[in-house]
Amino acid sequence: MSDYSEILHWEREQEANSVASVLRRARALVDTPEKWCGGAVRYTTLLLCSATAIGMASRECGSLCDAARERFSSVIGAPNSINGIWKWNDAPERTHAEVLAAFDAAI
């Protein structure tokens, strides 16, 4: 790398492909109650649960999906699996604020 612009470009690419970046993008997908789905799945709307948001956010860098899911699972104390996150996300007592706090802690 011969100049600073190349270094900065490389650093931006690395950040875009980090676990924290995937989790930030996933959080943004559910950042309002109107975007988040907890409890019963609503197939007729475009609401997302935590697990689906992580999957969608990692589409561009799929290799990070498992690592992002693992970090989120460790924060919420759930088994490292889609089902573990779904179960936590869909618990009747789960609130949107708790979901955002979990993402913040994972990031």
Side-chain angles (χ1 to χ4, degrees):
M1 295 185 193
S2 59
D3 65 20
Y4 291 115
S5 64
E6 288 181 31
I7 293 170
L8 293 174
H9 177 72
W10 180 84
E11 287 175 349
R12 280 192 299 270
E13 283 182 357
Q14 295 306 305
E15 173 59 22
N17 293 324
S18 71
V19 170
S21 181
V22 168
L23 291 167
R24 277 193 292 278
R25 289 192 302 262
R27 186 192 189 283
L29 290 171
V30 295
D31 64 355
T32 65
E34 296 79 23
K35 295 178 185 177
W36 173 66
C37 177
V41 177
R42 298 170 186 100
Y43 292 106
T44 59
T45 61
L46 295 176
L47 302 176
L48 301 175
C49 72
S50 304
T52 303
I54 292 169
M56 290 181 69
S58 62
R59 259 196 227 157
E60 295 174 5
C61 45
S63 61
L64 294 175
C65 186
D66 289 340
R69 202 178 293 129
E70 180 178 348
R71 187 180 298 178
F72 190 82
S73 293
S74 70
V75 166
I76 63 173
N80 180 20
S81 68
I82 293 172
N83 289 334
I85 297 172
W86 279 338
K87 186 174 180 179
W88 177 86
N89 183 88
D90 292 350
E93 70 276 9
R94 188 70 52 231
T95 66
H96 181 253
E98 290 173 314
V99 170
L100 294 185
F103 273 111
D104 291 341
I107 293 167

